Amino acid sequence: MDEAVVWLTIFVLSVFVGIEVISKVSSTLHTPLMSGANAIHGIILLGAVLVTGTTDNDAALVVGLVAIVLAAVNMVGGFVVTDRMLQMFVRKKRPAPDARSNGEAA
């Protein structure tokens, strides 16, 4: 029981630290920060696959499969959102001037 209290305390403290860190990030840094988070989620996904692949316990297998699905959805969704955010900074191409619109009478 004592070990569970320690893990719960670490979890609660990490939630508070995470909230403080994320709330202090300026909006111009969200895209690079999100790209870094996507890389971390890829590592988490790889770890979940490795741990789930080596287990013999059925309950651990189910929890591992749920972790794999959630990590994959989180990673892919993060890349989609990052791509959409980066598209906001792409300059729109102007249409080529039409030959009829250069002042010549038709």
Side-chain angles (χ1 to χ4, degrees):
M1 183 67 182
D2 187 36
E3 185 177 337
V5 173
V6 170
W7 284 111
L8 183 63
T9 304
I10 291 171
F11 175 74
V12 170
L13 289 175
S14 66
V15 167
F16 286 130
V17 169
I19 289 171
E20 282 298 313
V21 168
I22 295 299
S23 67
K24 304 295 186 217
V25 174
S26 68
S27 60
T28 57
L29 293 177
H30 276 217
T31 300
L33 182 65
M34 198 166 205
S35 297
N38 289 338
I40 293 169
H41 290 135
I43 295 169
I44 292 169
L45 179 60
L46 180 62
V49 168
L50 291 174
V51 169
T52 304
T54 60
T55 187
D56 294 332
N57 187 350
D58 289 339
L61 181 67
V62 170
V63 171
L65 290 175
V66 170
I68 289 170
V69 169
L70 292 177
V73 168
N74 196 4
M75 188 178 72
V76 170
F79 280 119
V80 169
V81 170
T82 300
D83 185 52
R84 288 188 67 191
M85 290 174 70
L86 290 174
Q87 291 301 320
M88 293 189 316
F89 298 105
V90 174
R91 292 185 184 195
K92 304 223 186 302
K93 294 182 181 179
R94 294 183 184 180
D98 193 10
R100 288 177 269 156
S101 64
N102 63 3
E104 295 178 10

